Amino acid sequence: MKYNKLLFSLLLLAVFCFSCKEEQKLQTSLDFDKVLLNAKSNPIAIESESPLFSWIIKAEGFGKSQSAYHILVASSLDKLDETHADVWNSNKVESSKSTFVKYEGKELKAATRYYWKVKVWDKSNQESNWSEPQYFQMGLLDESNWGEAKWITLTNDTRTSEYRFREYKTGRMEQPIQVDGFAASYFRNKINLNKEVDNAQVYICGLGYYEFFLNGEKVGDHVLDPAPSNYDKQAYYVNYDITEQLNSGENALGIILGNGFYGQNISWKNDPESDRDLAYGPPTVRVLLKLKYKDGTESEFFSDETWKESTGPIVFNNIYGGDTYDARFELGDWTSTNYDDSSWGFAKETAPEIKNISAQQIPAIKKLQDYEPQNVFKGSDGEWIVDFGQNIAGWVKLNVSEKEGQLIEVITTEALLTNGRDIFPGSTGGGANGMAQIYQYICKGDGQESWEPKFSYHGFRYAKIKGVSTKPDADMIKAVLVATDIQETGSFECSDDLFNKMHNISKWTIVDNVHGIPEDCPHREKCGWLGDAHAFCEYALYNYDMYDFYKKYMEDIRTQMLPTKGHNNPELKFQVPTMIAPGKRTSSYAKIDWGVATMYLPWYNYLYYGDDAIVNEYYPEMKDLTNFYLNFKGENGIMQDGMGDWCPPRWDRRTNPEAMECDPIISANAYFYDVLGIMETFAKMNNDGAFQSEMKAEKEALKDAFNKAFLVEIPNTDFKWYQSQTATVQALQFGMVPEEEIENVVNGLEYDIVEVKGGHHSTGIHGNRYIYTVLSKYGKADLAYRILTTPDFPSQTYIMNSGFTTWPERQFEWETMEGPTNSLNHPMHSGFSAYFFESLGGIKSSTKEAGYKQFIVNPEFPSQITQTKVSVPTPYGDIKNDWSFEEGKLSMTLEIPFNTEANLVLNQAELESLIINGKTFQNLQKNTKSVTLQGSNVILGSGKYKILYNKR
């Protein structure tokens, strides 16, 4: 008996000790979820002199935050410890900063790999383990690092295929002309390795799209590399690690080079007599291969005049028109070592005009997904039409068996005729850029032949295929989604299937329009219009990792800037962007409502990520542009400039311009007021006190002038507004409405929507971005729902019911037309969907603690929505909010990442009913430091909370 009691006591003691250890483990557990440098995992082409370190911590419990960090950087793994770290030892730094921590070690050397790790302490001084070792590799930091690498281009265009020519015809031309463009170039060379390779890096800069091959295999999974840019000022190279792909002895290197946006000597000419040439010159490429051997020696191999050249089966390529591939001119296994290239010529060295070459930091364009035919039928001319069920950007791939010389032609379009009997060219017929979307394949006739393009992409849902002897099926033809591989990091779903479908369409419309730049559409123009870019930016940031994407696009905007005279004072000179960036197909100087993208994109990037580098980098340009727009100030204090609220319902600038009810001056000045506040913040961040004060004064003056000029009474009512739905929405969104007038203005907006417009919006891209958020904020969430879901024109539901899978550029009554004109894939109309996250999900970053260091939680939703679930990506981890509403009670599950805090917005009545994790707020506040009160708002530290309160 005594033995059993002793055993029982020991057992209890063991359980108690185990429990203590588990409790201690729970309290001290700090686990690294992600460890990043410049927001990337183990990057290999870093060019920052001071890279930025970030880490995401998973920690159990509540109110957990960081109090200190320690970073080590070393030249090798065996030196990566506190004693031997030879590049940087930060020692213990007392700081809560866990994102974008600036490197402060020794000067980093080009093309060199470094290793690093970090550990942290929480506010209780509990210490984490070291993170797993990470690495980063520096790129080619300046021109000298390219060594002897030369630019090479095609010497002789030897194309003889009769299919090298295409028809070119803009809407202004009576007859088409024949064009062939620059030839696709094929380059090859060999290297002989007689030592064992430890590391091999290849650096390629293509002016024009390229693909790189090694020993018969394509290197990497990129397509359409590199991203477009203002090539004469800024071009991008891509770095590949090919250590594992090299063989001992002989190795064969090959490159195919196409025109891309660089060799654009065809499209966007106004007529055949025009001397307008959008080409920078014939495509050219530069290659550097850096080898490090296991014996410690190094060598380089590079492009020069010793490379062999040829033309081949790609006999035509144009970014708008498409590729033509004549398989009868295939070159055989031309990237293998034993290939006989004695008939090939030698490449020509060239010296293109180019100011700067940098590593491409944004994700590459890739083939993301294949789509099979959903329906196949014969058109009115007897040719087969394939419906892939989704409007995408990309190309088709073929698998055919036809006779030698058989031409197979694929015409891609976004739409059918309204009667459904044939394809409708609409946006894809080439009237604007002169080139219809056509792919051509000429068979070699030796059995099954497979092909897909390399140097063009199209926007399409339908494909008419000519020249095949059997009915197309999934074995013969597929559609391939091709776009920049931005990673989807956020999510939204709610209890209403219509909203879920709108969210899906909004995402599709963005994914289809990112090809190294934020495009307006993936077919007719493929241009980076600045107004479109800022219209959908915030929604994109909620859904995707866009950290590097907008930094790159800001460089496009900067390198697009041109010297421009002041408006009121022509003696003044400013650097001003054009309406489009990048490229030679520009427009006029950027009007205010388009040009503010220059300020909005850094602001949104800072607000959503918390990295001030983009603000500091572009502050001089933003300041200069702000002064340029201030030079448009009239005697009434209003800037006399603006482009307009693009594409409201039924609007056509030629046939129905009055449908744009918002005066462009009004909407532009509303944007500019908001931007003046942003520039006030940016000036403060850059210690520019004088400009900060100036911006504050200009903002206050513009608010007064705006209200004096544009706030009017609505006849026969007690309400006021700013003469259009868009201007009224903007004034409410940007805080321009005098406090005593807010109720009257909100009621005025409701009056116009309900009584005048019959429950419909009349907004274009400027107003549509904010109208649903504004209505929700001011107690009209049910009206926002009504506008979105009414099946009658105009509404998002009307568009969905019309069969569109992406948002069209124009808002027309499609059933009354022969076919849907203009683009059917325009991401500027996805901007409104930020409403799903910021209003329904209730999650917004604080402007005072940017990057979601502190964030706002305030779901505002219509009575028709009973449940919403969002996940919002942040540099600290994902914020998750899952709420349901029933019988007046809001039940919320909220996950707050480590090292952040949430500001739960409540009124006094809601606060009094608040229960968190099963306890009243008063009880919880007494027993924990992770919950505090700020007015009627509740500040919550990190952790997972169950929240319940009566929603008023």
Side-chain angles (χ1 to χ4, degrees), residues 875-937:
Y876 301 92
D878 294 340
I879 299 167
K880 296 182 179 180
N881 190 17
D882 184 353
W883 62 256
S884 60
F885 185 69
E886 187 175 358
E887 297 180 352
K889 292 187 180 295
L890 185 72
S891 176
M892 182 189 307
T893 300
L894 179 66
E895 294 186 36
I896 303 170
F898 174 84
N899 211 27
T900 71
E901 59 183 22
N903 183 346
L904 180 61
V905 178
L906 302 168
N907 58 40
Q908 191 60 41
E910 290 169 340
L911 178 63
E912 290 171 1
S913 66
L914 181 64
I915 296 174
I916 300 178
N917 292 342
K919 297 179 180 179
T920 65
F921 172 72
Q922 291 78 8
N923 274 342
L924 196 64
Q925 194 178 21
K926 291 177 184 177
N927 297 303
T928 179
K929 294 180 180 179
S930 67
V931 181
T932 57
L933 194 63
Q934 194 174 85
S936 63
N937 293 356

Side-chain angles (χ1 to χ4, degrees), residues 393-411:
W395 54 60
V396 298
K397 61 180 179 181
L398 299 174
N399 191 30
V400 296
S401 181
E402 302 290 346
K403 65 183 179 182
E404 182 181 357
Q406 177 66 43
L407 170 64
I408 297 173
E409 187 171 80
V410 180
I411 304 170

